[in-house]
Every structure is written in C-alpha cells, then in structure tokens.
Amino acid sequence: MLAIRNGLFMYEERLRLANSTWGLALICAIPTILLGVALAWGGPLAGLVLFVALAVIILVLRDMRFGYAAIVGVICLLPFATVPVKIVLTFTLLDLAMGAVVGIWGMRLMTGQQRTVVLSPITVPLVMFILIAIFAFIFGLGNGPLTPTLLRHFAELLLSLGFVIVVVDYCRTWEKLEELVLILLAGGTAAAAVGIGLWLLPDETANTALNFLARVGYPGGWVIRYIEENPELAERAIGTSVDPNSFGGLLVLIGALAGPQLVAKKPIVPRWVAVLMFGTIFTALILTFSRGAFLALVGGLGFVTVLRYRRLLPYLAFVGVASLGLPVMQSFVARMVAGLLGQDLATQMRFGEYRDALSLIRQYPLFGVGFAGSPDIELYLGVANVYLTIGQQMGVLGLLSFVVLIGTMFGYAFFNRHVFAEQARHDALWLGAHAAVVGGLVAGVFDHYLFNIDFHHAVTAFWLMVGLGVAATRLG
C-alpha cells in the first residue's frame, strides 16, 4: 500500500510539473507568436507597438495607475494607433488600454476585492443618457448596414461614457486625483511639443515621419494640413492627431486644466513647470489655426477668471492686446475675423451643415436617426457642432438628457463652491477640471469631434474631464 501511495504521489507531482511547464510554455508562446506575426506583417514599428500593448496589460494587472497612464498616453500621442494583429476586429491601442482598466475594475467588484462603488449625482442622468444612446442606435439600424466597424465605434462611445463612473470611483483621494491630473498635464505637454516639432520641420520631412505610423493604422500619403487645404496658405499643426481641429480640441481640454496652476497659491507642480506646460500647449494650439479651439480655451480660462480671479482681467486684456504684435497672431486674428464675418469657405460650409442638420432634426425629432446613417438620401449625418450631432443621432430627447447631465455636474459644483475657496491646493484642480469641460462645451459649438464615434480619443478625453470634475467636487 505504501508503494502504491508513493507511486501515485510521484505521478501527481509529475503531472502537476508537466501542467505548469505546459502552462508556462503557453504563456510564453502566445506573446512570442503574436510578436512574430506583427514583425512579419508590419515590421519593427508594429512589433514595438504590440510589445508595448502587452506590457501595458501586464502592468495594469499590477497597478491601475499604469492603466490610466496608458490611456492618457495613447490619447495624447497615438490616438489612432491600432493593434497590428487583427482579432475578428481591428482594435485600437486605446481600446486595449481602456478595456484593461475597466475589465480589471469589474473583476475587482466580482471577486469581492472591492465591495463598493463611489456614485455621484450625475450617475442617474449619465445612465439615462447611455440608455437613450442605445435605444437610438437600435432604432436607427434600419437606416444603414450594421458593420463590425460601426458596432466597434458605438461600443467605444458607450465605454467612454461609462468611464466617468470608473474615474469617479478611482479618484477616492486627492492623491489619486492629483496623480491623474499630473499624467494628463504631462501627456498634453508632450503632445503639444510633438505638434510644434513636426510643424517646424520641412513639410516633406514631417510627412515622412508621420507616414511611419501607417504601419499601425494611421493614414498614409500626404497628411500635412493647410488652411483651407491650400498649400499656398499656412501649415496647420496636427501632431499625431491627424486632424488640426481634433488636435486643437485636445489642447483646449488640457490647456484649460493647466491654466489655473499658473495663478494658484499652491500649484501641484513648481510654478516654472506650470508656465512651461501651459506655454507649450498654448503655442501648439495657436499653430493649429483652429478658431474654435482658441475661443474654447478663452471660454474655459474666462470661466476660471470670472469665478475666482476677476482682479486679473485687466492684465489678461493687456497680454492679449500685446500678443497681437506677433506675426503668427496677426495671421490668426485675420482668419478669426474672416470666420466671424462668414467670408471664408470653411465657415460658409458650416452654415450649410447647420441648415441641413436642423432639417433632419425637424423630421426625426424624438430619437433622431441613430448612428448607422440617414434614412433620406437628401439629408446626411455629420455637422460641425456637437449639439446638432447629438440631435441628429439621438434626437431632442438625447440632447435634453445631455443638457441635464452637464447641468447636474455644474449644479453639484455650484452648491459646493464655497468649500474650495479655503483649499488653496485643491481649488486649482477643481477649477481646472471644470474649465476643461467648459472649454469642451464651447468647442462643441464649432466642431463635432467630442461626440463623434470616429474620434474615440477625443470623446474619451472630454468625458474623462467630466469624471475629474465630479470627483473633485465629491472630495471637496
């Protein structure tokens, strides 16, 4: 009997050793095979991107901070990069980073490692907005084909909206909120520096550099952008965001977040660092020649000034007038005036889009036409305005739910504003997060990328700021 028992024990040990060996071999083999396929298909750049994606997933499993850093890094530096290996669908790096963070957050809840979820006053209106979006999507499926790309883009929209809850739950302490803000400031400054660097390079050199990204899903060919798409006019900074208006929108959000740090009594970074960050972001924004982005940043910073720093208004006016002497600002102002007077082609086209969008909303007022397409060949989806875009796709009901959602956020902040007047360090964070949302709302008057399912990174950046603002108010 003893011999039989010893024999069984030795067999079990060998079996367990074999299983662990095979498991280890499988764990090593799968990434190796994927990297081999990526290298063979897309070259060293594609292999590097896949390697970084796998490393991020492993790091997120160890610490959620790496996940948020990955999300911000992708939004700012590689917003359209895709995984070089197709798994049913072609996923973006942002899909993987957000999926890892949200997935691990969900697993912690299911396994009991986290037993509570921090909720806020915007939770109910946010859920209602998500439900209306889902209903509008289903209701509008008859207006166009349900393609894998459409399904993925709509899932990304829902992921970005739901991410607000995850951010509020994560930022349970001021330390975590400050860490996330610092990551955003660093990412935005890096994106701005890249944009300025590419703008300073000769057009051919910058275009060649950007074409290297074609291996990871970026468009190839000539990607440099000019005012009114005319090479005879000034070049517009695009960074790695492809579109100058989208790039400007990202800079608005992070520039407005950084602005209050310039005048805060206790900034979260040294004052000279705050000046360097904001100066880099502002310079890149001007080089985009995006009039909507400029007005949006003015709106965001104006919100902060009127709310807390009214004594600075004369100084800001002086700086604004003095900056008009710069050559780049003179060109920018001339373009701004032409837009306000409706004299340039881009503005005239937008006026036409506004008329068509209002016609579509009048015909389908309640839930819109969904996200698949327009039921009428004479009308089309797509208008350079976030509010009309929501009205087209989700109807008046969706637009009203959006207004209630944002109104709840600012109402929550308004009724708790007195708390932050006595918190010098936290006041600038709270103001900056809300200024970023104000900037996004102003930018939404002039463009649509903050609610465009083709610009997942821009949508995520806006709702990330919403989450930061609500989390800051709750902590206060």
Side-chain angles (χ1 to χ4, degrees), residues 20-197:
S20 63
T21 302
W22 278 108
L24 181 61
L26 189 63
I27 291 172
C28 295
I30 291 176
T32 304
I33 293 170
L34 290 175
L35 286 173
V37 172
L39 287 168
W41 178 82
L45 181 60
L48 177 63
V49 169
L50 184 59
F51 175 79
V52 171
L54 293 172
V56 166
I57 293 174
I58 294 171
L59 289 172
V60 173
L61 290 170
R62 295 176 59 87
D63 193 330
M64 290 283 280
R65 287 179 296 182
F66 292 111
Y68 286 97
I71 290 172
V72 173
V74 172
I75 287 173
C76 294
L77 299 175
L78 287 172
F80 293 101
T82 59
V83 178
V85 178
K86 184 175 182 179
I87 309 172
V88 183
L89 296 173
T90 302
F91 292 98
T92 66
L93 293 187
L94 186 54
D95 292 335
L96 291 185
M98 292 188 69
V101 169
V102 175
I104 293 170
W105 176 76
M107 288 173 57
R108 289 170 60 87
L109 288 173
M110 290 187 290
T111 57
Q113 295 181 22
Q114 178 179 328
R115 297 187 179 277
T116 60
V117 176
V118 173
L119 301 179
S120 67
I122 73 161
T123 302
V124 172
L126 177 64
V127 171
M128 289 300 300
F129 187 64
I130 292 173
L131 291 176
I132 293 172
I134 293 172
F135 185 86
F137 177 78
I138 297 172
F139 182 76
L141 286 179
N143 300 327
L146 178 60
T147 64
T149 300
L150 174 64
L151 190 60
R152 193 198 86 203
H153 283 172
F154 184 69
E156 289 171 345
L157 173 64
L158 298 183
L159 183 63
S160 298
L161 294 172
F163 195 56
V164 175
I165 297 174
V166 181
V167 170
V168 173
D169 184 66
Y170 173 76
C171 296
R172 296 182 177 219
T173 64
W174 281 112
E175 289 75 17
K176 288 187 175 181
L177 182 62
E178 287 185 10
E179 284 178 356
L180 191 48
V181 169
L182 286 172
I183 291 170
L184 279 162
L185 294 179
T189 305
V194 170
I196 294 171

Side-chain angles (χ1 to χ4, degrees), residues 140-336:
L141 286 179
N143 300 327
L146 178 60
T147 64
T149 300
L150 174 64
L151 190 60
R152 193 198 86 203
H153 283 172
F154 184 69
E156 289 171 345
L157 173 64
L158 298 183
L159 183 63
S160 298
L161 294 172
F163 195 56
V164 175
I165 297 174
V166 181
V167 170
V168 173
D169 184 66
Y170 173 76
C171 296
R172 296 182 177 219
T173 64
W174 281 112
E175 289 75 17
K176 288 187 175 181
L177 182 62
E178 287 185 10
E179 284 178 356
L180 191 48
V181 169
L182 286 172
I183 291 170
L184 279 162
L185 294 179
T189 305
V194 170
I196 294 171
L198 290 171
W199 188 85
L200 291 173
L201 289 174
D203 291 359
E204 291 283 353
T205 305
N207 192 72
T208 301
L210 288 170
N211 267 253
F212 279 114
L213 297 176
R215 290 292 188 182
V216 289
Y218 271 72
W222 191 260
V223 296
I224 301 297
R225 302 288 294 274
Y226 304 93
I227 294 176
E228 297 182 0
E229 306 303 333
N230 184 356
E232 299 298 324
L233 299 178
E235 178 188 346
R236 303 181 68 183
I238 60 173
T240 53
S241 295
V242 179
D243 180 79
N245 293 324
S246 171
F247 185 43
L250 174 67
L251 297 175
V252 165
L253 296 177
I254 301 182
L257 182 66
Q261 298 299 322
L262 299 174
V263 292
K265 294 181 180 178
K266 295 181 179 179
I268 62 173
V269 294
R271 189 87 59 189
W272 68 269
V273 174
V275 172
L276 179 62
M277 286 180 165
F278 183 81
T280 305
I281 292 169
F282 183 76
T283 301
L285 187 147
I286 292 298
L287 294 178
T288 65
F289 287 93
S290 174
R291 295 164 293 189
F294 179 79
L295 291 175
L297 182 61
V298 170
L301 297 180
F303 166 81
V304 174
T305 305
V306 171
L307 189 66
R308 195 74 83 207
Y309 301 103
R310 286 184 287 273
R311 68 183 185 279
L312 298 178
L313 284 172
Y315 301 100
L316 293 176
F318 174 78
V319 171
V321 172
S323 65
L324 296 179
L326 300 174
V328 67
M329 284 299 294
Q330 292 174 358
S331 176
F332 187 87
V333 170
R335 179 167 162 76
M336 180 75 71

Side-chain angles (χ1 to χ4, degrees), residues 334-379:
R335 179 167 162 76
M336 180 75 71
V337 171
L340 293 174
L341 297 176
Q343 296 175 344
D344 66 341
L345 180 61
T347 303
Q348 293 168 6
M349 290 176 62
R350 288 186 180 185
F351 288 158
E353 289 178 357
Y354 296 163
R355 287 192 296 269
D356 293 342
L358 290 171
S359 296
L360 190 147
I361 293 171
R362 279 195 295 267
Q363 293 186 36
Y364 304 92
L366 194 57
F367 289 104
V369 298
F371 297 81
S374 173
D376 192 334
I377 194 171
E378 296 181 358
L379 299 174

